[in-house]
Amino acid sequence: MNKKKKYYSRLRRGLTSAFFIFTLVPALLVSVVMVYNFREGAIEKIELSMVRMAEDRNDAISQYLNQQIILLSTLAGMYPLNIMGDQAHLDQLFRSVNERGDVVDLHVINSAGAQLAYVGPYRSSIQGKKYKNASWFMETLVAGQHVSDVFMGYRNVPHLVVAVTDPLKTYVLRATINSEKFNALLIRAQIGPRGDAYIVNRHGEFQTPSLLNARELAPAERALMEYHEGTSSMTIGSFHYTTRWMKEGQWLLVIKSKFDDSLGAFKERRNNSLSIIAISIVMILALAVFLCRYMVRRLEQDDRRRADMDQQMVQVEKMASIGRLAAGIAHEINNPLQMITNQAGWIEELLPDEDPEAVKNLGEYQDAVSKIKYHVRRAGTITHRLLGFSRRMSAEKECVSVNELIEETVSFIENEATIHNIIIEQLLDKDLPTTMTDGPQLQQVFLNLLNNCLDAVEKDGRITINTKANEKAIFITFADSGPGISSEVMTQMFDPFFTTKDPGKGTGLGMSICFDIMKKLGGTIDVKNSETGGAIVTLMLPLKKLGKSGQGDLGTAGQGESIS
């Protein structure tokens, strides 16, 4: 016990040291760097952050527009013109694909520019409009897809349009993008209270609202419109600008930040870093202590589990000893039983030769001899069962009648079933063939399953045993009227030492042994719940004749009931 305590103590210290070295020390170093960082380093980080923000927002916007194009292209590829042009179908399609509200409306326009169907809030203002000469319409027919700038259009409301054609270019499917959702993609790009983020086209016209409500670019900001590859940074006055051309050079993403605002936030964070460091230290140490205790508990649980396994193995050894003892007792009893049988037979042969007048109680003697022989046979049956129990430890194959084996096994538990008012119904196929197998081992499987059935039913129930066969195998089914098996037990029921019984009432080896025996015999065991309640265990035993090998697979796990 003292050694275990010392081991656990060393483990706690080791885990605490590991957490300190690999977690707490790096956290402290990072925090110290953040606290004592110079202004120039902070500015560099802000610039890098703006570049990353510009690239991130570019990816997010491009991905968002590509998603809309892919959605429209998928729809156009799925439905021909006669279906897509149906107003009822378009209404239903719009409701199905627009659960998130990314699209305001949908247009279906034929190749001649005539509107075939429309769903959205502007039906009255664009009813019957022609798009044949619209630049966006012609570009869509030529290129197969189109993403517009923000424009007013027939509806007299600023909006952004995405359009695609079907594979045969018989119609154009156009969608108006929800401006609020599109504009919201830039809100996260604002850095500081005086920072801004917006998109302009090649003419400097705003495609998204300025976060600071700017209406047009300042004269000094016109220098930003010069085309460049990738992401570029520029300082104009007290503001820092990060720009990136997108949509094949048609739009310019602008992120604007004032250094003083950004540095003010940095200073505030620096002042709060000390408290963050303290909180981090406490949290990390608390986590280390928690994990140490958790590991110790797990080790203690493993020790207890190992002790339980040792106890179960002792129980197994006891059962083996009982088997050997049963064999010895059976042999010792058989000898005097044989002598009693012989003497009773000899008396029975001599009684008819006696003078009935001289022997007054001849009939009673004959009746007594019959009773002696009857009870000797009963005792012989018991010793036969004891010998069968002891032979389960060996593996000897013989020609076995499964029905007789079931009937003999049922006789072991008949008294217990009667006491608990449990009916055992045997629906055995009278024409069931015999098979070459290990009878005692198979009988052990039957006995384990019947005991589980008794435990599941408890009282006032029914156990049904059914046998049948085909050309390759014999099938034995055990069904009970118990509560059935939960899904949690389903996955563990064949694990060694797993039991659902109360402590001390089960070894957890019953179903594991059954699985192992059926596997060795070339059969399978399958467990499931009945639709009407209770569990059904089905054994498949390969049909083998003398000198021929049977067919069988490995056992399969399934649902079960109380596990012994």
Side-chain angles (χ1 to χ4, degrees):
M1 185 61 68
N2 291 331
K3 291 183 178 180
K4 288 185 178 180
K5 289 183 178 180
K6 291 181 180 179
Y7 170 75
Y8 296 147
S9 177
R10 289 196 299 270
L11 179 62
R12 290 192 188 96
R13 291 196 297 269
L15 285 175
T16 304
S17 301
F19 267 87
F20 182 82
I21 293 173
F22 294 105
T23 306
L24 188 59
V25 172
L28 288 173
L29 292 175
V30 171
S31 300
V32 170
V33 171
M34 290 177 60
V35 171
Y36 297 102
N37 199 3
F38 295 99
R39 184 176 184 276
E40 291 77 9
I43 293 176
E44 183 181 351
K45 290 180 180 179
I46 294 171
E47 292 177 349
L48 180 60
S49 175
M50 292 180 66
V51 170
R52 290 177 177 174
M53 181 67 71
E55 293 175 350
D56 176 68
R57 292 300 90 194
N58 172 68
D59 294 340
I61 293 171
S62 300
Q63 185 178 7
Y64 181 78
L65 294 175
N66 287 336
Q67 287 177 349
Q68 309 310 316
I69 292 174
I70 292 172
L71 174 62
L72 296 183
S73 299
T74 302
L75 297 177
M78 292 174 59
Y79 301 105
L81 177 60
N82 60 333
I83 296 179
M84 187 63 78
D86 180 69
Q87 184 63 49
H89 177 267
L90 188 64
D91 291 341
Q92 183 178 2
L93 190 63
F94 180 77
R95 290 191 297 269
S96 300
V97 302
N98 197 36
E99 294 181 354
R100 299 191 306 174
D102 293 331
V103 177
V104 176
D105 58 18
L106 280 178
H107 278 181
V108 178
I109 305 167
N110 64 17
S111 58
Q115 180 176 290
L116 301 180
Y118 171 84
V119 55
Y122 302 103
R123 179 172 300 182
S124 60
S125 61
I126 62 174
Q127 186 69 32
K129 299 297 182 181
K130 302 292 185 180
Y131 299 93
K132 182 176 182 181
N133 297 323
S135 59
W136 70 265
F137 179 76
M138 299 174 64
E139 180 183 342
T140 304
L141 287 178
V142 173
Q145 65 182 39
H146 169 75
V147 179
S148 74
D149 283 345
V150 175
F151 66 103
M152 301 295 288
Y154 290 129
R155 66 193 69 190
N156 200 29
V157 175
H159 59 283
L160 174 68
V161 166
V162 175
V164 299
T165 65
D166 67 313
L168 300 178
K169 296 189 176 183
T170 59
Y171 68 89
V172 172
L173 180 61
R174 187 179 93 159
T176 302
I177 302 302
N178 189 324
S179 299
E180 294 182 359
K181 288 187 173 291
F182 182 74
N183 297 338
L185 296 174
L186 289 177
I187 294 179
R188 289 181 56 192
Q190 184 179 22
I191 301 177
R194 287 179 286 182
D196 203 355
Y198 50 81
I199 296 174
V200 296
N201 62 12
R202 285 175 295 184
H203 304 293
E205 298 170 342
F206 279 75
Q207 301 300 294
T208 61
S210 166
L211 301 179
L212 299 179
N213 299 320
R215 299 298 180 184
E216 60 182 11
L217 293 177
E221 294 175 338
R222 288 288 175 179
L224 302 173
M225 299 304 299
E226 183 178 352
Y227 182 80
H228 57 81
E229 296 290 340
T231 303
S232 176
S233 298
M234 180 182 297
T235 301
I236 302 176
S238 61
F239 288 92
H240 185 77
Y241 294 82
T242 301
T243 58
R244 182 181 180 90
W245 286 97
M246 55 191 306
K247 195 190 165 189
E248 298 179 354
Q250 298 180 29
W251 289 351
L252 178 66
L253 171 63
V254 180
I255 298 178
K256 175 181 176 182
S257 176
K258 195 172 183 67
F259 278 135
D260 290 340
D261 296 338
S262 301
L263 288 175
F266 169 78
K267 293 175 182 178
E268 183 180 356
R269 292 191 183 94
R270 184 183 61 188
N271 294 333
N272 294 331
S273 293
L274 293 176
S275 59
I276 294 176
I277 291 173
I279 295 174
S280 300
I281 291 174
V282 173
M283 292 180 63
I284 292 172
L285 290 178
L287 180 62
V289 172
F290 170 77
L291 288 179
C292 286
R293 292 183 176 179
Y294 173 75
M295 293 297 296
V296 170
R297 285 198 302 270
R298 288 300 302 269
L299 287 174
E300 291 175 344
Q301 291 173 0
D302 289 342
D303 287 341
R304 287 196 297 268
R305 189 179 296 109
R306 190 178 298 108
D308 291 340
M309 292 178 64
D310 292 341
Q311 185 178 2
Q312 301 294 349
M313 294 306 299
V314 170
Q315 184 69 19
V316 173
E317 290 295 332
K318 287 182 180 179
M319 293 301 296
S321 299
I322 291 174
R324 291 190 292 270
L325 179 62
I329 292 174
H331 284 296
E332 290 297 329
I333 293 177
N334 275 340
N335 291 331
L337 286 179
Q338 184 64 40
M339 181 61 67
I340 294 172
T341 302
N342 293 338
Q343 294 301 319
W346 175 244
I347 293 173
E348 188 177 27
E349 291 179 2
L350 293 178
L351 284 176
D353 296 336
E354 296 295 329
D355 184 2
E357 294 181 357
V359 182
K360 297 180 180 180
N361 301 313
L362 180 61
E364 293 183 10
Y365 294 154
Q366 291 175 333
D367 183 58
V369 169
S370 299
K371 289 181 180 179
I372 290 172
K373 295 178 69 175
Y374 168 75
H375 288 290
V376 166
R377 284 195 299 271
R378 283 191 61 193
T381 302
I382 294 173
T383 58
H384 174 74
R385 291 175 183 175
L386 288 174
L387 288 172
F389 178 80
S390 65
R391 285 198 300 270
R392 291 174 193 167
M393 305 302 168
S394 62
E396 300 176 357
K397 291 192 175 182
E398 56 186 352
C399 188
V400 172
S401 170
V402 173
N403 285 349
E404 293 180 0
L405 209 59
I406 291 174
E407 291 173 351
E408 182 180 349
T409 308
V410 168
S411 68
F412 295 165
I413 63 168
E414 277 183 332
N415 289 338
E416 183 178 357
T418 302
I419 292 172
H420 294 89
N421 196 27
I422 297 175
I423 300 174
I424 301 178
E425 184 179 16
Q426 301 182 54
L427 304 177
L428 309 181
D429 185 358
K430 296 181 180 179
D431 299 325
L432 196 72
T434 58
T435 183
M436 292 297 297
T437 189
D438 188 339
Q441 294 278 352
L442 188 61
Q443 189 177 40
Q444 183 175 358
V445 174
F446 294 164
L447 187 58
N448 281 340
L449 295 179
L450 284 172
N451 284 329
N452 284 344
C453 290
L454 289 175
D455 293 337
V457 175
E458 292 186 351
K459 62 180 180 178
D460 300 328
R462 178 181 294 272
I463 299 173
T464 303
I465 307 172
N466 181 277
T467 59
K468 62 180 180 179
N470 57 23
E471 296 178 354
K472 297 182 179 180
I474 296 174
F475 299 90
I476 309 102
T477 301
F478 295 83
D480 64 64
S481 59
I485 302 305
S486 65
S487 56
E488 291 80 8
V489 175
M490 169 82 70
T491 58
Q492 305 179 68
M493 62 178 301
F494 290 104
D495 295 343
F497 306 110
F498 173 76
T499 178
T500 60
K501 296 180 179 179
D502 295 333
K505 293 186 177 181
T507 63
L509 295 172
M511 293 304 292
S512 175
I513 291 174
C514 291
F515 180 89
D516 186 62
I517 291 175
M518 292 306 299
K519 179 179 177 181
K520 291 179 180 178
L521 297 181
T524 63
I525 176 171
D526 178 76
V527 186
K528 63 181 180 180
N529 283 326
S530 172
E531 295 179 357
T532 58
I536 301 177
V537 183
T538 301
L539 305 178
M540 188 284 290
L541 188 66
L543 190 58
K544 299 180 181 179
K545 298 299 182 182
L546 186 61
K548 296 182 179 180
S549 61
Q551 299 177 356
D553 303 316
L554 296 179
T556 57
Q559 300 277 12
E561 46 210 16
S562 2
I563 312 301
S564 64

